[in-house]
Amino acid sequence: MIGEKDEDSCGKKTPQECKRRGGSAAARGKRSLARKSTAVSQAVQLIRQCYLEKKKIRNRK
């Protein structure tokens, strides 16, 4: 059919999209928690870098 050649069996455009949406409620919850955990870790790392840079600038004066 027209327009369906790039889509897989579950109707998503990539295998990652198909896999991400499937599975049990527990599996989806684990993926959600993993995404949130990664986001928090990245935010903490960014804040820490900003703090250390600010501290370094203050010590130069």
Side-chain angles (χ1 to χ4, degrees), residues 19-59:
K19 288 178 188 175
R20 186 171 38 222
R21 295 183 59 89
S24 66
R28 289 192 306 270
K30 286 180 183 179
R31 285 192 296 270
S32 176
L33 182 60
R35 282 193 302 274
K36 290 173 186 173
S37 177
T38 300
V40 169
S41 294
Q42 289 174 345
V44 168
Q45 198 171 26
L46 180 62
I47 291 168
R48 184 175 183 270
Q49 288 173 349
C50 290
Y51 171 77
L52 292 174
E53 187 64 31
K54 190 174 182 180
K55 187 176 178 181
K56 194 186 302 183
I57 292 170
R58 284 184 180 174
N59 289 338

